[in-house]
Amino acid sequence: MSTPAPPSDPGEEGLELGAPASGAAGVRAVVTSLGMGVAQMGVSRTVRTLWRVNQAGGFDCPGCAWPETEERSHAEFCENGVKAVAEEATQRHLDRAFFAEHPLALLAQRSDYWLGQQGRLCEPMYLDEGATHYRPITWEDAFGIIAQGLQALASPDEAIFYTSGRTSNEAAFLYQLFVRRFGTNNLPDCSNMCHESSGVALGTTIGIGKGTVTLADFDHTDLVLVVGQNPGTNHPRMLTTLERARDRGATIIGINPLREAGLGRFRNPQRVRGLVGRGTDLATHHLPIRVNADLALFQLVNRHLLEADAAGEAVLDRAFLSGSVTGEAELRAHLGAVDPEALLAATGLEAEQVDLLVDAVKGARSMIVCWAMGLTQHRNSVATIREIVNLCLLTGNIGRPGAGLCPVRGHSNVQGDRTMGIVEKPFGAFLDALGAEFGFAPPRHHGYDTVDAIRAMAEGRVGVFTALGGNFVRAAPDSAVTEAAMARCRLTVQVSTKLNRSHVVTGTRALILPALGRTELDVQAGGAQVVSVEDSMGMVHSSRGRLAPASSRLRSEVAIVAGLARATLGADDPTDWEGLAGDYRRIRAHISAVIPGFEAFEERIARPGGFALPNLPRDERRFATPDSRAHLSVNPWEAVAVPAGRLLLQTIRSHDQFNTTIYGLDDRYRGVRGGRRVVFVHPEDLRDLSVAEGALVDLVSEHSSGERRAPGFRVVGYPIARGCAAAYFPETNVLVPLDATAAESNTPASKSVVVRLEASRPS
């Protein structure tokens, strides 16, 4: 069966708007999944590939990081997982003939959707200075160009080494080793733009920058709070976990400015009632909180709990607080002095809704709080997450079955990359162990995170930019600034599987290095290789591709890193880069020696399901803080100033995308078909602003650094909190100022953008 050609590049003229869906998944999800698989892979390849997704002995889905259950079904994947797999295992191949026919100037005019639909990159490509087209290049010559560029820098700190969250543990460990042997800690990664705020907040309060629950905890909990998260689109397999909790009688409360279909009615495709019946109503309650008012809400809840405790109610875990937690007196004083009416007004909720949440917390023997980027991308994100930690510490909901903190990570190994040392501010103990294992002195000074890397590039302080996966140009904030910054580099290098915007916004010279995907067989000198990944809950397991590679000219990420390291560091460098690339077991042996928790790594990933990394708060109710206690914190509330006639915009994903990858132009859960340039606003706000539904507007963000404009968005009246708006990224990243970041974490504040709606200007 032949594979259809890639689609043409559509405009927004075919945009159709309808009513949002009341539920998620069901037969429609099955049909959509299979349709995407067959269109990209063909029938036989679709069946063979999906049979191995997230299975023991198979490959880890390159989509989200939600864990797998111990007892896995034969269809351990979701609709968006199928889309991710189909685009990687596609039979559309993009070769030198494509680049000969498409000059860079033409590619730059194409949409992100069109670029991604062209298929798999098949050989290294080079854009020379002043050239109009990419041309083929050998691997050896490509490594030579990169090595020369790096060696010509006045300092190793003039190079940036970015990492995507889909990189395996083995590739990530080798990458950071190369970068530190080269002499810098400039290792920004996608965590800087998503859950950095979670890591900072959790690290300072409970001593570990990770969550404290496992999948099994959802089978023992009474209450799940899903805050600032849309699992139906971004982590669809989570819906099955929530359904099991509901079947047991657990209460689920969604707290989000938009009512999302995934927390409405879930039609589980693997249950009869999900295919032909009503399905399961997941969220028992939805609290339509205003954008960036979560800190105000959780301060209200914690104030109510402390007042109830003072009145004699047994709502706090007194034994836990006295034995393991510090800061209660300071928190009591702070919350006792806040204005509850002002906090309530900020949330946009009714007092009865807050009371409902308080009563649910009081009545729960165990509680899990989940969150995602709806909390992490605000100026006060770290403070907000600390306030959630306060809630769990006060009630003792940490370190016991059915209870804990659950930051839900996005990309499939973004947490593993950090564990492997992909971090610009490494801990001294890690550097000590790394240096002892490999016999060198790693650099100690802090490197650039994502935002600071863009600043450095914009100021001409960076000569070479290298990305191990990802789409940096489209993922980063302040798109015009980011693109101009990238153009100032002398050399940009992208290790990729598919074409994206970062290949057409380049430095003076550019290289595309095509890599194997998760689905593909990785054969090195030591035979067929296995890699490992860490999921969102700290479980490490193996991943083994089975498909024949899309091209004989592809190399694994590990082999690419090793080749780059040898070319750059020279023949005299004592690290056996070739041996490590030839047998990944040798990399895992080094990981075992350097990183705590990976002892007997090889043996443990051979077990079905892998193994759990140590987590003191979860496993022992102990905390690796300076005083060995968990810390309650004081987090002052300050609302974002939104002038009259303006809205507070949050950037969101459509159901047809994952991060910056656009799978299609529909968002059926929100009633959008055939386009992406839409802005969701409450109908009453549209009335107050004198803007008609369906009007074409420009979004103009207002910031102290100046205005930014995103033109041509169709207005959609939508059930969203009053005073708020939402629109898809990456199209709206242009509106996010580089200087608007979260305090302490420096994460772009993409969920707190003050905008006005202006009638679109004639083109």
Side-chain angles (χ1 to χ4, degrees):
M1 176 179 178
S2 61
T3 303
S8 59
D9 203 358
E12 297 284 325
E13 294 79 12
L15 178 66
E16 299 177 7
L17 303 174
S22 60
V27 174
R28 182 71 179 275
V30 175
V31 172
T32 301
S33 301
L34 294 178
M36 173 69 81
V38 171
Q40 293 271 11
M41 299 183 287
V43 175
S44 175
R45 190 177 177 89
T46 295
V47 174
R48 287 186 290 114
T49 304
L50 296 184
W51 187 259
R52 300 188 178 107
V53 181
N54 294 325
Q55 300 294 332
F59 65 90
D60 192 70
C61 177
C64 79
W66 191 253
E68 286 78 49
T69 59
E70 289 188 16
E71 297 180 2
R72 306 181 192 189
S73 72
H74 292 302
E76 193 65 41
F77 50 81
C78 66
E79 176 186 341
N80 279 358
V82 173
K83 294 174 183 177
V85 169
E87 291 216 347
E88 180 178 291
T90 182
Q91 296 190 81
R92 299 171 186 166
H93 292 169
L94 190 157
D95 57 15
R96 62 181 63 188
F98 171 88
F99 288 101
E101 295 170 5
H102 293 81
L104 191 66
L106 177 60
L107 293 176
Q109 297 173 12
R110 298 299 193 185
S111 70
D112 297 289
Y113 170 62
W114 186 90
L115 291 173
Q117 289 296 308
Q118 300 314 298
R120 286 291 301 278
L121 294 159
C122 289
E123 62 182 319
M125 303 299 297
Y126 177 51
L127 182 74
D128 203 351
E129 182 175 0
T132 59
H133 292 69
Y134 276 99
R135 64 172 175 82
I137 189 172
T138 67
W139 280 102
E140 291 69 24
D141 287 346
F143 289 149
I145 289 171
I146 301 168
Q148 291 170 7
L150 291 172
Q151 292 162 357
L153 299 174
S155 163
D157 291 331
E158 293 181 2
I160 300 292
F161 298 91
Y162 177 74
T163 316
S164 160
R166 66 168 295 279
T167 302
S168 69
N169 287 329
E170 291 74 13
F173 183 82
L174 213 62
Y175 192 51
Q176 64 81 29
L177 173 63
F178 158 58
V179 170
R180 293 190 165 106
R181 288 212 72 121
F182 179 65
T184 185
N185 282 313
N186 284 347
L187 282 159
D189 78 321
C190 55
S191 288
N192 297 144
M193 293 182 279
C194 54
H195 270 289
E196 192 73 40
S197 298
S198 300
V200 171
L202 296 173
T204 56
T205 53
I206 64 171
I208 185 172
K210 301 181 180 183
T212 66
V213 300
T214 66
L215 207 57
D217 285 311
F218 285 84
D219 294 326
H220 300 280
T221 192
D222 294 331
L223 173 64
V224 182
L225 306 184
V226 182
V227 192
Q229 183 196 0
N230 176 16
T233 286
N234 301 330
H235 315 93
R237 285 188 298 123
M238 182 179 176
L239 300 183
T240 302
T241 302
L242 295 177
E243 183 180 44
R244 288 203 313 271
R246 283 291 294 130
D247 287 345
R248 287 184 45 260
T251 297
I252 300 173
I253 299 178
I255 304 172
N256 198 48
L258 292 84
R259 184 187 293 273
E260 300 287 15
L263 288 178
R265 194 161 59 250
F266 174 45
R267 300 182 182 91
N268 188 341
Q270 300 192 44
R271 284 186 167 188
V272 173
R273 75 185 189 200
L275 290 174
V276 297
R278 173 181 171 80
T280 303
D281 292 322
L282 292 184
T284 49
H285 305 282
H286 171 245
L287 305 187
I289 193 168
R290 285 180 179 156
V291 169
N292 193 30
D294 304 275
L295 176 55
L297 174 62
F298 284 100
Q299 288 201 343
L300 273 176
V301 173
N302 289 335
R303 177 187 166 101
H304 279 297
L305 293 176
L306 291 173
E307 289 175 340
D309 174 72
E313 290 187 54
V315 295
L316 304 186
D317 190 331
R318 278 275 142 232
F320 176 59
L321 288 170
S322 61
S324 303
V325 183
T326 188
E328 182 180 344
E330 294 83 356
L331 180 62
R332 279 186 179 276
H334 169 67
L335 293 182
V338 300
D339 181 350
E341 296 302 320
L343 293 179
L344 178 61
T347 67
L349 301 173
E350 301 294 332
E352 293 78 10
Q353 293 173 305
V354 177
D355 291 342
L356 180 151
L357 177 58
V358 172
D359 289 342
V361 171
K362 286 181 179 180
R365 293 167 298 177
S366 56
M367 172 181 66
I368 295 172
V369 185
C370 307
W371 70 89
M373 285 185 285
L375 290 193
T376 65
Q377 294 181 328
H378 303 282
R379 176 67 183 168
N380 59 5
S381 286
V382 174
T384 299
I385 297 165
R386 284 179 179 151
E387 199 65 40
I388 289 174
V389 175
N390 285 345
L391 172 63
C392 287
L393 293 178
L394 287 171
T395 55
N397 277 297
I398 190 168
R400 55 188 180 82
L405 299 153
C406 184
V408 184
R409 312 283 176 166
H411 231 149
S412 60
N413 197 40
V414 63
Q415 188 160 292
D417 285 353
R418 275 299 172 85
T419 303
M420 292 297 106
I422 300 293
V423 58
E424 77 283 355
K425 298 175 183 176
F427 291 117
F430 172 80
L431 295 179
D432 291 343
L434 186 71
E437 180 71 5
F438 289 95
F440 78 113
R444 298 277 167 166
H445 59 284
H446 289 172
Y448 298 134
D449 63 13
T450 293
V451 168
D452 287 337
I454 297 169
R455 291 192 181 110
M457 289 190 289
E459 294 167 4
R461 293 185 280 120
V462 174
V464 178
F465 174 93
T466 299
L468 188 61
N471 183 3
F472 186 88
V473 165
R474 289 304 260 164
D478 220 341
S479 304
V481 172
T482 296
E483 292 183 10
M486 191 69 72
R488 293 203 66 178
C489 296
R490 294 189 290 279
L491 175 65
T492 52
V493 182
Q494 307 289 337
V495 179
S496 307
T497 57
K498 298 187 305 170
L499 197 63
N500 63 48
R501 185 65 50 191
S502 295
H503 301 127
V504 301
V505 179
T506 72
T508 305
R509 298 181 296 158
L511 280 160
I512 301 173
L513 305 182
L516 291 174
R518 290 259 182 93
T519 59
E520 291 170 315
L521 186 64
D522 181 356
V523 179
Q524 303 296 331
Q529 301 298 312
V530 172
V531 296
S532 63
V533 297
E534 178 185 346
D535 66 31
S536 195
M537 295 179 184
M539 294 292 298
V540 178
H541 55 275
S542 64
S543 178
R544 182 194 297 268
R546 302 282 185 173
L547 296 177
S551 165
S552 61
R553 294 182 291 274
L554 302 183
R555 292 195 181 184
S556 72
E557 288 184 333
V558 168
I560 293 171
V561 172
L564 178 55
R566 178 57 76 199
T568 303
L569 302 177
D572 294 335
D573 185 82
T575 304
D576 184 10
W577 300 103
E578 295 80 7
L580 295 173
D583 187 347
Y584 301 173
R585 292 175 298 182
R586 295 183 57 185
I587 303 174
R588 288 190 283 273
H590 287 301
I591 293 172
S592 295
V594 172
I595 303 176
F598 284 86
E599 299 78 10
F601 192 177
E602 200 64 42
E603 295 79 5
R604 293 161 77 197
I605 62 161
R607 304 170 187 166
F611 63 94
L613 291 175
N615 187 305
L616 283 178
R618 179 194 69 207
D619 302 336
E620 303 178 33
R621 246 190 180 186
R622 294 197 297 118
F623 305 95
T625 58
D627 59 1
S628 299
R629 295 170 72 89
H631 288 226
L632 294 166
S633 57
V634 169
N635 304 292
W637 157 253
E638 183 178 352
V640 176
V642 183
R646 275 59 173 173
L647 300 168
L648 195 57
L649 173 81
Q650 62 171 333
T651 65
I652 58 175
R653 297 176 185 170
S654 84
H655 190 61
D656 245 358
Q657 77 177 98
F658 181 73
N659 292 342
T660 60
T661 301
I662 311 301
Y663 300 129
L665 300 179
D666 298 343
D667 188 348
R668 71 174 186 273
Y669 288 170
R670 298 191 182 104
V672 177
R673 181 177 177 83
R676 292 179 50 82
R677 298 188 78 83
V678 295
V679 57
F680 301 100
V681 184
H682 196 284
E684 293 182 22
D685 284 325
L686 293 178
R687 182 199 62 201
D688 293 346
L689 295 170
S690 299
V691 175
E693 287 199 41
L696 195 64
V697 300
D698 292 354
L699 306 181
V700 184
S701 67
E702 300 178 347
H703 188 259
S704 58
S705 61
E707 294 185 349
R708 294 157 177 82
R709 183 178 296 268
F713 280 72
R714 191 70 62 183
V715 175
V716 180
Y718 199 82
I720 184 174
R722 291 295 308 274
C724 304
Y728 302 132
F729 79 88
E731 290 84 353
T732 48
N733 285 0
V734 66
L735 300 172
V736 183
L738 189 65
D739 294 331
T741 60
E744 299 183 65
S745 70
N746 210 29
T747 296
S750 302
K751 298 293 188 289
S752 291
V753 185
V754 176
V755 299
R756 67 176 186 269
L757 310 184
E758 287 189 357
S760 283
R761 301 171 178 176
S763 58

